[in-house]
Amino acid sequence: MKQVQDYFGCLVFDDKVMKSRLSSDVYKSLRKTIDNDTELDLSVANSVAQAMKDWAVENGATHYTHWFQPMTGTTAEKHDSFISPDADGRVIMEFKGKELVKGEPDASSFPSGGLRATAEARGYTAWDPTSYAFIKDKCLCIPTAFCSYGGEALDKKTPLLRSMQALSKQAIRILKLFGHTDIKNVKTTVGPEQEYFLIDKKYYDKRPDLIYTGRTLFGAMSPKGQELDDHYFGIIKPRVQAFMNELNEELWKLGILAKTEHNEVAPAQHELAPIFSTTNVAADHNQITMELMQKIAKKHDLVCLLHEKPFKGVNGSGKHNNWSMSTNTGLNLLEPGATPWDNAQFLLFLVSVIKAVDEYQDLLRISCASASNDFRLGANEAPPAIISIFLGSELQNVLDHIETGKALKSNGSSFLKIGADVLPPLPKDSTDRNRTSPFAFTGNKFEFRALGSSDSISCCNIMLNTAVAQVLKEFADTLEKSTDFDKDLHEIIKDTIIKHKRIIFNGNGYDEAWVSEAKKRGLLNLASTPEALPYYIDPKNIKLFKDNNIYSDAEIHARYEIGQEHYCKVVNIEAKTAIDMTLKGYLPTISKYTYSLTKNIEMKKNLAIDTTYEEAELNVLSNGLRDAFVEVTSLKGALTHIPSKIEEASLYYRNKVLPKMESLRNIIDSLEEHVDKEVWPYPTYGDLLFGVR
Ligand code: ADP
Ligand code: MG
C-alpha cells in the first residue's frame, strides 16, 4: 500500500520539485521572489514556466489555468490547453513565462461593484508565487491575483496579500525595537477548522430548496434532533469514513495538511481541520478543501452542504479561523515567552490585537456577515453578533495587575513590571476554554469563531491583518521616538488595556445579560448583514484601508456594494424558491390529500362509521391550506415592492421578506404532521438528517 509520506504533495510544484527541476540560478531567483515578495524577472519566468509545464504534463496535465478568487468568495478558472501547432501540422506542448506571470481573462461577468465598466471588461491575473501551483483534474492551476485594467483589485487574494505585507512591515519595526534586527518578514498564519453536513444524494435531489439555496426552507423537525449529544465525536459511519479517507488522500496529494476529522454536534455534521500555514496559502487551501469536499461527496452518493444553516432546529456550521503572527525565523509572536523581555514583547503584540479588535469590531463583524451566516450568529449555537475577546482567567489576571499596578499573587509579591518580571506560565490547554466567544485567545493564537462555513477566510484575515498593522504602526511611531523604552512600553501596554478593556469579555456570550452589558460598554451589536455592511464605508474604515494601502476608495465601495447586492440576490432566490415549492408542491399535495379525506368521510358516513380522525384532520388541513395561501400570496406581493436603492432593498429583504418566508414555513411545517408521509412532496428532516446509514 502506498504510504502518505510517499504521495503527500505529489500534485504540487513545490520547493522540492523546483529545486530538482530548475537550474540553481533560476531556483535562487525564484526563491528570492517567494521569500521577499520581490518581482520576478521574465527570463526567470520563462525557465520556471518551461519546468512547470514539463512537470505538469508528466503528471497527466493537458491544460493550465490562472486560478483566482473573485469577489463572489468562490474560485474561478478558465482552462487553456498547452497545445501549440507545429510546422508539420501536429502539436507541441508549450507554456511561456508571460503566460505564467500574467493572464487576461474576459472579466465582464464577475461582480466588480462598478469598478470596471463592461466596455473595458479586460481583467488581469497575476501569479502569486508564494502559493505553489498544483494539478487538479488534469489542469495545472496557478494561484493568481485578479485585477482590473486600471489595477484595482477584483478579488480576495490581492487585498489579502497587501494586508499581510502591511502587517509584516509594522511588526518588523516593533521587533527591531526588541533587538530582533535579523527578521526579514512576519507572516500571519491561519489554521481554519471547517464544518460541514453530509446528506444522502437521493434525498438532496428531491429538495429544490437545497438545490437552489443550499438550505432547507421548509421541514418539520424529526422526532430526534441533536438533544442526546450522541453525534459529537461519535463513531464515524463507514460511508462517511470512506468519504473522509478519499478526501484526505486527495488533499494530501495537493499538499494540504488535513489533520483532524470528527463528527460534530448536529446529526450528519462533521469537521475537518488542517495544520496551520501562511494565511494566503491557508486561504487557497481552504477553497480547494471546500471544492473537493463537494466533489468527493458526490462520488459517494452524498452531498456536502457548506451552508451555515441548512437545517432549522439543529446547529449550523461555522469555520474557526485560528490566527497568529510568525517571523521568518520561526518565532510565534503570540507565544508567551520564557523571559521577562520576551514577555514584554508578547504583551505588546497581545494588546495590539486587543486594540485592533476593539477599534475595528465593525470590520470583523462585516467579515463574517452574509445572508446565510445571519441564521447562526447570535442564535445560541454560534457566537453572538457582538464582537468581543476572551482571554481566559490567567491572562486576564496579568492584564488586571498591569492595569492596577497591584501585586500578582502567582508571581511572588512584586507587582508586574514590564521588562522586569516573568509572566506566570499560561497553560495552553486551560480548562476555562470558552466556546461562546467570537474571538478567543487559545494559548498562542487567537481563534475567530464567527466565520461562516461557506465563507472565504480571506475577508476576515484582511480585516484582522490590516487593523493589527495599523495599531502596530501607531505603537512603533511612539516607541521609535522613545528615550525611555521600558517606561514608554509599560505605559503603552497599560494605557491600551485601560482604553480597550471593554472589548474583553470572559463570560458566557450566549447569555441574554451579555447583550445589555455589551450595550452599556458601547460595543456594537450588528444583528444582521444589512445592518453591518454600511460600516464598510465608515470614514474611519476607509481611512484605515487607504492609509495601509489595502483598498482604494473605489475598491472599498465596490466591496460594500457587492455585499449588499449579494445579500439581496440570495434572499430573493430563497423567497422565489419558497413560493415555487409552496405553489407547485405543498399546496397541491395538501389539497389532493384533503380530497381523499373528504371522499373517505363520505364513504364512511354512508356506512355509519366513525369519522372523527378524518374530520379533525380535514379541518386542520383546510384551515392551514387557506392560511398558507394567504401567506404565499403576501410573500409574492412583497417581492413586487423591492426598493430600488440597494441599502433600502437589503433592509427590506431582511425586515419584510424574510419574516414572511418564516411565517409561511411555520404554517407548512405545522401541516406536515397531518399528512400521509407517502404523499408528502419532499424528503423529511428525518430522511435528510438520519438518511446516511
Ligand atoms: P484547539 O484544540 O485549541 O482548537 P488545535 O491545536 O486543534 O487547537 O488547533 C486548531 C487549529 O489551530 C489547527 O488548525 C492548528 O493548526 C491551528 N493553529 C495552531 N497553532 C497556530 C498558529 N500559530 N497560527 C495559526 N493557527 C494555528
Ligand atoms: Mg478550535
Side-chain angles (χ1 to χ4, degrees):
M1 208 165 85
K2 256 195 136 183
Q3 297 194 334
V4 181
Q5 65 269 32
D6 298 330
Y7 66 82
F8 185 86
C10 67
L11 295 177
V12 187
F13 192 75
D14 59 13
D15 196 63
K16 198 167 140 218
V17 183
M18 286 180 198
K19 230 184 226 152
S20 71
R21 292 189 173 244
L22 299 172
S23 72
S24 86
D25 282 355
V26 170
Y27 172 78
K28 267 190 215 140
S29 177
L30 178 60
R31 204 60 248 176
K32 218 169 106 194
T33 302
I34 294 172
D35 294 337
N36 306 334
D37 290 337
T38 52
E39 275 209 20
L40 195 66
D41 180 271
L42 191 61
S43 69
V44 175
N46 274 327
S47 309
V48 178
Q50 168 92 27
M52 220 187 238
K53 184 262 301 172
D54 289 345
W55 168 82
V57 171
E58 280 165 36
N59 282 285
T62 53
H63 288 67
Y64 71 92
T65 185
H66 277 197
W67 185 75
F68 61 100
Q69 297 165 31
M71 292 187 276
T72 50
T74 54
T75 58
E77 47 194 81
K78 181 193 76 169
H79 299 184
D80 278 304
S81 70
F82 290 118
I83 64 164
S84 176
D86 205 354
D88 56 9
R90 312 198 54 161
V91 293
I92 51 164
M93 302 299 256
E94 206 176 49
F95 187 47
K96 301 232 170 66
K98 67 176 197 308
E99 292 167 320
L100 165 65
V101 245
K102 197 168 173 187
E104 283 187 36
D106 178 345
S108 52
S109 295
F110 292 109
S112 76
L115 274 181
R116 173 183 23 69
T118 13
E120 14 173 285
R122 214 174 325 161
Y124 283 116
T125 48
W127 183 29
D128 163 18
T130 58
S131 182
Y132 296 132
F134 57 92
I135 298 171
K136 179 168 69 76
D137 297 331
K138 295 185 171 226
C139 188
L140 170 70
C141 298
I142 302 155
T144 50
F146 178 43
C147 304
S148 75
Y149 193 73
E152 287 118 344
L154 292 175
D155 68 345
K156 294 192 178 250
K157 188 189 263 289
T158 310
L160 180 62
L161 291 172
R162 289 177 186 162
S163 74
M164 289 171 68
Q165 256 179 15
L167 186 135
S168 181
K169 188 172 149 197
Q170 304 307 334
I172 288 174
R173 286 176 69 194
I174 297 283
L175 287 166
K176 271 212 179 92
L177 295 167
F178 283 89
H180 297 287
T181 48
D182 57 329
I183 286 165
K184 291 214 171 58
N185 65 54
V186 173
K187 292 202 167 161
T188 55
T189 51
V190 166
E193 300 166 58
Q194 176 74 48
E195 292 180 343
Y196 60 97
F197 279 85
L198 278 184
I199 61 171
D200 196 306
K201 187 167 179 303
K202 69 173 182 278
Y203 299 123
Y204 171 91
D205 285 341
K206 292 187 186 141
R207 293 281 315 208
D209 45 3
L210 286 175
I211 293 170
Y212 296 134
T213 75
R215 74 176 176 109
T216 53
L217 299 170
F218 300 95
M221 195 55 209
S222 44
K224 183 184 171 188
Q226 66 186 40
E227 58 275 70
L228 293 182
D229 288 326
D230 51 352
H231 195 254
Y232 192 55
F233 285 10
I235 292 166
I236 299 170
K237 290 174 186 139
R239 238 178 113 187
V240 172
Q241 189 63 62
F243 156 83
M244 287 178 172
N245 293 348
E246 188 174 344
L247 176 64
N248 286 334
E249 224 168 272
E250 294 306 315
L251 292 173
W252 290 332
K253 283 186 199 163
L254 289 168
I256 297 174
L257 296 157
K259 172 85 175 161
T260 312
E261 59 190 25
H262 61 82
N263 285 349
E264 257 299 329
V265 172
Q269 194 185 29
H270 313 280
E271 178 179 303
L272 173 80
I275 296 171
F276 70 97
S277 50
T278 309
T279 306
N280 65 321
V281 173
D284 288 355
H285 283 180
N286 183 247
Q287 292 290 353
I288 301 172
T289 303
M290 292 196 285
E291 180 184 328
L292 284 184
M293 279 177 163
Q294 288 168 301
K295 272 193 191 150
I296 292 169
K298 294 226 170 87
K299 288 170 75 178
H300 294 259
D301 289 319
L302 298 166
V303 173
C304 169
L305 302 176
L306 290 172
H307 193 285
E308 281 74 6
K309 192 72 183 176
F311 304 102
K312 185 177 168 181
V314 299
N315 278 8
S317 300
K319 177 143 53 194
H320 294 176
N321 189 81
N322 294 276
W323 176 93
S324 191
M325 298 167 271
S326 181
T327 66
N328 63 307
T329 54
L331 206 66
N332 177 356
L333 300 179
L334 290 177
E335 178 82 53
T339 69
W341 191 239
D342 287 348
N343 281 323
Q345 181 188 305
F346 160 73
L347 285 170
L348 188 67
F349 279 104
L350 179 79
V351 298
S352 75
V353 179
I354 293 173
K355 177 167 149 83
V357 172
D358 186 26
E359 288 186 342
Y360 300 100
Q361 35 177 300
D362 43 3
L363 289 179
L364 276 181
R365 174 65 186 90
I366 287 171
S367 77
C368 56
S370 66
S372 43
N373 209 17
D374 278 0
F375 294 105
R376 261 181 84 238
L377 297 183
N380 269 18
E381 59 173 74
I386 306 161
I387 302 292
S388 67
I389 297 180
F390 169 84
L391 287 181
S393 54
E394 293 88 0
L395 203 48
Q396 185 62 56
N397 203 9
V398 172
L399 296 198
D400 287 347
H401 287 275
I402 295 173
E403 184 191 340
T404 59
K406 284 197 193 117
L408 190 64
K409 280 200 196 79
S410 55
N411 196 35
S413 56
S414 67
F415 70 80
L416 197 78
K417 190 167 169 297
I418 307 297
D421 300 298
V422 184
L423 282 189
L426 301 173
K428 251 183 223 108
D429 270 312
S430 82
T431 44
D432 63 353
R433 282 270 179 116
N434 184 321
R435 292 179 60 86
T436 67
S437 172
F439 201 86
F441 186 72
T442 51
N444 59 358
K445 60 185 185 294
F446 276 101
E447 183 170 358
F448 183 47
R449 301 206 180 99
L451 212 56
S453 48
S454 69
D455 280 330
S456 151
I457 63 165
S458 296
C459 192
C460 77
N461 289 298
I462 294 168
M463 306 303 200
L464 197 52
N465 295 347
T466 310
V468 174
Q470 171 64 32
V471 174
L472 292 177
K473 179 161 70 181
E474 292 164 22
F475 287 175
D477 286 347
T478 308
L479 290 174
E480 280 171 359
K481 280 189 254 138
S482 166
T483 48
D484 187 344
F485 186 76
D486 279 12
K487 183 170 152 281
D488 290 343
L489 178 64
H490 191 102
E491 277 307 306
I492 282 190
I493 293 175
K494 186 174 164 181
D495 198 49
T496 309
I497 297 169
I498 293 170
K499 285 209 182 100
H500 299 285
K501 64 180 180 187
R502 66 169 186 168
I503 196 78
I504 300 169
F505 178 62
N506 293 311
N508 179 3
Y510 295 173
D511 200 342
E512 260 320 298
W514 169 229
V515 177
S516 45
E517 164 70 18
K519 197 170 171 191
K520 262 192 240 145
R521 295 188 188 188
L523 299 179
L524 289 169
N525 184 2
L526 304 170
S528 72
T529 301
E531 288 158 83
L533 283 175
Y535 286 83
Y536 235 133
I537 47 176
D538 185 291
K540 168 195 72 137
N541 296 331
I542 293 183
K543 185 169 166 19
L544 170 79
F545 287 128
K546 280 168 73 174
D547 285 357
N548 290 281
N549 297 321
I550 311 299
Y551 290 129
S552 66
D553 238 324
E555 287 172 334
I556 302 168
H557 278 90
R559 271 139 191 100
Y560 164 66
E561 267 172 39
I562 288 172
Q564 291 277 31
E565 267 169 23
H566 190 255
Y567 179 86
C568 294
K569 284 179 187 163
V570 167
V571 183
N572 195 54
I573 293 169
E574 288 185 350
K576 286 196 297 186
T577 306
I579 293 168
D580 201 65
M581 289 174 76
T582 305
L583 293 178
K584 294 186 194 154
Y586 293 120
L587 299 194
T589 301
I590 298 168
S591 177
K592 270 185 236 155
Y593 187 62
T594 56
Y595 174 79
S596 68
L597 285 175
T598 314
K599 282 280 155 207
N600 261 353
I601 294 169
E602 257 176 47
M603 264 173 2
K604 284 187 169 181
K605 283 219 161 124
N606 279 340
L607 298 169
I609 298 174
D610 185 82
T611 55
T612 310
Y613 162 69
E614 287 84 357
E615 283 189 52
E617 295 297 71
L618 181 61
N619 199 30
V620 170
L621 288 170
S622 300
N623 289 338
L625 210 48
R626 178 201 57 223
D627 294 346
F629 183 63
V630 169
E631 207 53 55
V632 76
T633 308
S634 159
L635 176 60
K636 260 175 104 171
L639 291 187
T640 63
H641 290 95
I642 311 296
S644 54
K645 273 199 180 147
I646 194 76
E647 51 276 18
E648 286 168 23
S650 66
L651 281 168
Y652 180 88
Y653 276 112
R654 162 82 185 173
N655 299 327
K656 295 280 188 299
V657 176
L658 279 173
K660 283 189 197 297
M661 286 168 57
E662 189 59 18
S663 320
L664 176 61
R665 171 184 193 147
N666 288 339
I667 299 168
I668 302 281
D669 288 359
S670 73
L671 299 181
E672 194 176 319
E673 65 179 271
H674 297 279
V675 178
D676 180 356
K677 184 179 187 306
E678 295 302 314
V679 302
W680 195 246
Y682 306 112
T684 64
Y685 264 36
D687 298 329
L688 296 169
L689 289 169
F690 297 93
V692 177
R693 279 183 277 267

